[in-house]
């Protein structure tokens, strides 16, 4: 039993129920819904950050797949006993790490429906509703963000759902690369330069690597505290100028609205002005903060987007749509299609030939694609613009509340200004007694501060009560408190601050 | 109501229920389970291929997202009324198009759990169970396929779940490219050549385009009926030799087990022998047919895999795991990691630094990743090796049954030998009366045969009773009958053949 090598009596020993039997689907489906509803109800009892050690699961699971079927009840016991301890609970209200993934009932239901229909929507023909709903919701969302018409289908641009920002950047970079190389010749690939800042998400570097941009031609332009770690247009201009003088060709700029380290915002309008001068494709990566622009009071952060070539944000980050769902708009879809299309005979069909339809396979890396529009549509309709704004504002308000608490406690400082729902703070180390050389003192003080905050964060996270992560900007180690988990309420934020204070006290005492 | 511009009373007019409220989750979740169970129960009443015209949905949906929330009941009415008519029903038992996507209860439940947990598993630290379960099931599956140990973690290789084959090929090609360029210098990128056959899936060409391989250096080697459209090792050898003589550098071969057009199988062992001689990375794309190798009687199709560098198959195609789930094994994970890794400060953690864990973000294009292992684990356990083999064998048996019916009807012919669960057939045109020049007669006969089969297929598909698609190999237009939808039973295959015969009769009568 259970061995891979027991082939005897194979055809007799197993039950032949159809794998998609509707009544079995119903029975087991209801069971999992209750399991997950209970999980959300009880989620606070689990340590937020998993407490397991590397290799924990291999010790607990068998070496081979079972030979005979196992009942769902047994499997679900193992989910509870073996899997849940190894999960970090991203849906916990006490989760403030990285950027939270804001799950929702509507997002979950949409994913259920698209998984249930299980269509493979590579082109229009393969399941028209998948393509058409995607174009429609991308226009809806574009209007909510007040994107210029040139990014909407009505303005000859258009939107597409990608898995992640990495894919969105790789696709637009490839489009920009081929548009340029088709003009100047393939042999010049080694001259193309890609720009970001030292705060840009590593997705850009990865995309550049994959697209064959020479590693030396990836240009992370330095930022500083003076510009709140936003990319200064003059710095971009100098970098581009230097590259041109060196015989290189500026290709692509990725500007960020809401960087991962500190939610810094690159000034889009002036950066686009510089880029335009040199014919550089500008992509705006608003992975985290883009959604906030549906609120009038945050829209200004993407002012200037009308001069960019492409814009993306992750609905799976802070827009209640489960992983994965990156919304990408481009002004010139034909640039994507030219770089990414393939037309094998087995996919030929009248609809494609009529040129009246979109075949999204030509807008992305993969050919196969899930029906992601379903979950975004469910989120937009279930909550409406009004509730979505309210949800985001509630998170910002909670972050602000936390920020106020930090500000009022003189043992702490806010490291960079808060723009959205993330607070970057640190504990200040107590002054040292013996005065040394001033520069040395400052540098060793920075080291001491960094060390103390590293300790503080680890001591907090290892309790499992709340979970935060860190970043380093301008040499300063800071703790990131990112509000955004859907279940978080005021009382959780108050608890979080209490936990931070308790651990800080203990650490300061030990200094 | 419903307008984007009604900002008045915003905070008062909307209900403030938490978007992840557990009891609302329970209520709505049960509703959708019943909706989908009913959908599967009644699926035969829908036309398999959607009958809508391009643009149907834009006419039926509003231009903007609703301002106020809408109840789930309203949304589900629209799913039924507006979305379902635009779906092609991939889960229908009468679906035989492309390659079917074999959904299952277990696959669906796994997707529910991973969506419910909604962890973003970029590295081990972010949710250890996601990474560890993935390594474990990839080893399980590798053993089921009898892959050599060198592809398993125990043999210093390893497996990873990608979204699609396109991604698997792009990742391995990028790894091969960088391994080569790091040795011979970046400036030689224009000399690298990528090989496949004229039957290789267009994923290879697309990956080569994205990775910056020069378009002229993509080499689809010609195949012919003589080798059943498999890639002949001598043809590969000649192509490589010619490229070397032209000063180019052979880099990568994608060999296919089960091509999309006709399920042809490239002879892996002799192809690897040729490739090895020239230091070419060999990837085996067994997207469709790989799963069959868990049955001893089909394992021989991947014989020789021990000499390849990487191997992939799509569990979302013919392995009961919902879209998307491509299983990729590599012998040298470090080649992937060198080409695809990034290590930003905000992801630094002790587990990574201990080098005791896998960070799968470095094995794929994107950084974020879904907990795909959950659904594969559920499928392996819920069905066991025994039932999985039985399911696949049942599909093969049904295809064989259909093939026999085609063979017995002298008006039809089988175009290429059947290897798995797909039958490639065509209707033979009735002989023409007036005899012309022999060559001209043959070519016009081929044209006539192609035209008649094109008509036959369109006439069948437009009824919505069954859905099949076509391919052209060696100039011959053929109809592909791909068994694999989970709900298909003998009676459906019998019906399908009856439909084909009826339409053929009508068409022959009209000739």
């Amino acid at each position: 039993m259970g061995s891979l090598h027991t082939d005897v009596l194979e055809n007799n020993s197993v039950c032949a129920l159809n794998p998609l039997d509707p009544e079995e689907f119903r029975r087991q489906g209801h069971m999992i819904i209750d399991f997950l509803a209970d999980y959300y109800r009880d989620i606070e009892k689990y340590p937020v950050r998993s407490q397991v050690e590397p290799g924990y699961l291999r010790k607990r699971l068998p070496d081979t797949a079972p030979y005979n079927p196992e009942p769902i009840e047994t499997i679900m016991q193992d989910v509870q006993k073996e899997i849940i301890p190894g999960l970090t609970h991203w849906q916990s209200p006490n989760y403030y790490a990285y950027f939270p993934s804001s799950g929702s009932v509507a997002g979950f239901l949409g994913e259920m429906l698209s998984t249930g229909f299980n269509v493979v929507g590579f082109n229009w023909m393969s399941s028209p509703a998948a393509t058409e709903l995607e174009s429609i919701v991308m226009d809806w969302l574009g209007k909510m963000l007040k994107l210029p018409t040139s990014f909407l289908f009505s303005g000859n641009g258009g939107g597409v759902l990608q898995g992640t920002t990495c894919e969105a950047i790789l696709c637009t970079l490839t489009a920009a690369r081929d548009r340029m190389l088709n003009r100047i010749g393939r042999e010049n690939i080694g001259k193309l330069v890609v720009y970001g800042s030292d705060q840009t998400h590593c997705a850009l570097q990865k995309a550049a690597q994959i697209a064959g941009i020479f590693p030396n031609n990836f240009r992370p332009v330095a930022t500083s505290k003076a510009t709140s770690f936003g990319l200064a247009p003059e710095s971009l201009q100098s970098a581009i100028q230097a590259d041109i003088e060196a015989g290189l060709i500026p290709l692509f700029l990725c500007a960020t609205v809401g960087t991962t380290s500190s939610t810094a915002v690159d000034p889009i309008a002036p950066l686009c002005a510089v880029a335009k001068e040199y014919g550089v494709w500008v992509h705006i990566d608003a992975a985290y903060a883009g959604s906030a622009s549906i609120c009038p009071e945050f829209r200004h952060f993407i002012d200037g987007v009308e001069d960019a070539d492409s814009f993306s944000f992750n609905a799976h980050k802070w827009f209640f749509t489960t992983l994965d769902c990156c919304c990408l708009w481009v002004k010139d879809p034909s640039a994507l299609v030219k770089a990414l299309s393939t037309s094998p005979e087995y996919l030929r069909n009248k609809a494609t030939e009529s040129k009246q339809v979109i075949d999204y396979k030509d807008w992305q890396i993969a050919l196969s694609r899930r029906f992601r529009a379903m979950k975004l549509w469910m989120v937009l309709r279930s909550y409406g613009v009004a509730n979505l704004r309210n949800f985001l504002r509630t998170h910002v308000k909670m972050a602000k509340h936390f920020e106020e608490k930090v500000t009022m406690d003189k043992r702490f400082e806010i490291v960079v200004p808060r723009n959205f729902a993330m607070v970057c703070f640190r504990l200040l180390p107590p002054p040292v007694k013996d005065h040394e050389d001033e520069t040395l003192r400052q540098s060793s003080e920075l080291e001491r501060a960094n060390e103390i905050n590293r300790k503080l964060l680890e001591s907090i996270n290892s309790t499992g009560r709340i979970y935060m992560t860190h970043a380093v900007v301008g040499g300063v180690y800071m703790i990131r408190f990112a509000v955004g988990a859907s279940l978080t309420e005021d009382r959780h934020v108050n608890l979080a601050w209490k936990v931070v204070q308790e651990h800080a006290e203990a650490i300061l005492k030990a200094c």
Side-chain angles (χ1 to χ4, degrees), chain A:
Chain A
M1 267 178 64
S3 153
L4 258 176
H5 311 292
T6 329
D7 266 315
V8 201
L9 287 178
E10 182 165 308
N11 289 296
N12 303 326
S13 66
V14 293
C15 112
L17 199 62
N18 188 293
L20 201 53
D21 179 81
E23 294 317 313
E24 200 52 28
F25 177 92
R26 196 186 306 271
R27 186 180 78 84
Q28 297 191 22
H30 285 310
M31 193 184 299
I32 305 292
I33 288 294
D34 281 328
F35 175 89
L36 285 171
D38 294 349
Y39 170 71
Y40 293 136
R41 188 192 58 202
D42 303 335
I43 197 164
E44 290 186 56
K45 76 179 184 201
Y46 301 115
V48 189
R49 191 185 77 179
S50 170
Q51 310 281 311
V52 300
E53 292 296 317
Y56 90 100
L57 195 56
R58 214 171 262 274
K59 292 176 198 146
R60 302 189 190 189
L61 295 190
D63 277 345
T64 52
Y67 183 75
N68 287 311
E70 296 182 84
I72 184 70
E73 291 78 7
T74 311
I75 301 172
M76 290 311 295
Q77 276 168 17
D78 285 351
V79 170
Q80 188 67 52
K81 219 174 62 194
E82 318 297 2
I83 302 299
I84 286 197
L87 290 181
T88 287
H89 300 281
W90 286 66
Q91 302 312 301
S92 166
N94 300 314
Y95 183 98
Y96 308 98
Y98 309 109
F99 285 123
S101 66
S102 57
S104 75
V105 178
F108 181 87
L109 301 186
E111 193 80 63
M112 278 175 83
L113 286 174
S114 79
T115 303
F117 296 138
N118 202 24
V119 301
V120 184
F122 34 79
N123 57 14
W124 181 88
M125 189 63 213
S126 67
S127 216
T131 296
E132 298 210 5
L133 190 63
E134 186 161 330
S135 306
I136 292 167
V137 293
M138 290 305 284
D139 267 7
W140 282 11
L141 201 44
K143 288 175 191 170
M144 286 167 66
L145 294 164
K146 300 208 191 305
L147 292 184
T149 322
S150 50
F151 280 115
L152 307 183
F153 285 101
S154 49
N156 295 318
V160 58
L161 292 174
Q162 306 262 338
T164 63
T165 301
C166 296
E167 292 163 52
I169 295 180
L170 179 53
C171 289
T172 49
L173 176 57
T174 303
R177 182 199 69 189
D178 283 4
R179 192 169 72 176
M180 180 67 88
L181 292 181
N182 286 339
R183 213 169 61 216
I184 64 171
R186 284 276 146 191
E187 67 281 7
N188 290 305
I189 188 170
K191 293 185 185 160
L192 304 179
V193 188
V194 168
Y195 302 84
S197 85
D198 56 8
Q199 300 298 309
T200 306
H201 193 274
C202 59
L204 178 65
Q205 188 182 0
K206 192 160 180 170
Q209 270 172 224
I210 295 171
I213 302 299
F214 285 22
N216 289 339
N217 294 349
F218 171 69
R219 204 74 71 237
V221 181
T223 63
S224 74
K225 190 155 183 145
T227 59
S228 297
F229 303 99
L231 175 56
E234 317 76 71
S235 307
L236 175 68
Q237 171 109 35
S238 313
I240 291 180
Q241 206 51 55
D243 284 328
I244 289 174
E245 278 158 27
L248 299 175
I249 301 164
L251 175 70
F252 189 89
L253 163 68
C254 178
T256 308
V257 176
T259 60
T260 306
S261 290
S262 67
T263 71
V265 176
D266 293 337
I268 300 184
L271 287 173
C272 284
V274 173
K276 258 193 173 167
E277 209 179 304
Y278 300 96
V280 166
W281 179 302
V282 182
H283 178 77
I284 310 295
D285 168 15
Y288 159 67
S291 47
S293 295
I294 67 163
C295 304
E297 69 271 31
F298 296 116
R299 174 56 176 78
H300 69 94
F301 284 113
I302 62 166
D303 281 358
V305 63
E306 57 278 10
D307 294 323
D309 297 275
S310 47
F311 173 87
S312 65
F313 91 91
N314 286 347
H316 62 254
K317 262 200 179 64
W318 196 23
F319 207 63
F320 310 96
T321 314
T322 48
L323 190 64
D324 47 3
C325 195
C326 171
C327 307
L328 167 68
W329 290 266
V330 292
K331 275 187 184 166
D332 178 13
S334 78
L336 282 183
V337 173
K338 276 178 206 148
L340 300 171
S341 78
T342 48
S343 301
E345 172 63 34
Y346 48 80
L347 294 183
R348 274 188 68 177
N349 68 85
K350 278 187 197 163
T352 298
E353 279 156 26
S354 78
K355 295 194 197 308
Q356 292 191 296
V357 299
I358 295 165
D359 289 337
Y360 272 127
K361 70 177 173 56
D362 300 335
W363 294 48
Q364 63 171 25
I365 294 163
L367 285 119
S368 293
R369 58 202 319 272
R370 281 154 54 236
F371 189 178
R372 290 198 188 96
M374 183 58 77
K375 58 185 172 184
L376 194 48
W377 187 57
M378 298 285 284
V379 165
L380 293 175
R381 294 193 60 184
S382 289
Y383 304 121
V385 177
N387 256 344
L388 288 165
R389 287 181 182 163
N390 278 351
F391 293 154
L392 300 176
R393 285 168 177 156
T394 308
H395 294 163
V396 173
K397 218 171 113 189
M398 286 191 281
K400 219 166 157 181
H401 180 62
F402 186 88
E403 184 188 32
E404 282 161 10
K405 288 181 177 288
V406 175
T407 312
M408 283 183 330
D409 188 328
K410 294 297 163 217
R411 297 169 302 176
F412 292 88
E413 76 167 5
I414 299 293
V415 182
V416 291
R418 182 193 51 76
N419 286 323
F420 306 99
M422 186 169 86
V423 181
C424 297
F425 71 102
R426 63 170 184 161
L427 179 62
L428 296 168
V432 276
K433 277 121 209 172
D434 50 343
H435 286 257
E436 293 177 272
D437 165 75
E438 184 64 8
T439 331
L440 200 68
R441 198 183 61 80
Q442 277 184 12
S443 102
S444 80
E445 216 171 88
L446 179 63
E447 241 329 292
R448 218 157 48 88
N450 288 355
E451 189 50 34
I452 219 171
N453 281 285
R454 212 175 276 129
K455 269 191 195 155
L456 173 62
L457 183 60
E458 184 48 37
S459 123
I460 292 170
N461 287 341
S462 63
T463 66
R465 293 175 72 192
I466 64 171
Y467 184 27
M468 303 178 292
T469 51
H470 79 285
V472 174
V473 292
V476 175
Y477 182 102
M478 60 190 191
I479 300 177
R480 298 162 71 264
F481 183 78
V483 180
S486 305
L487 293 170
T488 304
E489 297 170 13
D490 289 338
R491 63 189 170 97
H492 300 107
V493 173
N494 288 334
L495 169 78
W497 175 241
K498 216 177 124 238
V499 171
V500 171
Q501 281 187 314
E502 277 170 25
H503 284 262
E505 261 154 45
I507 285 197
L508 289 175
K509 236 178 237 164
C511 272

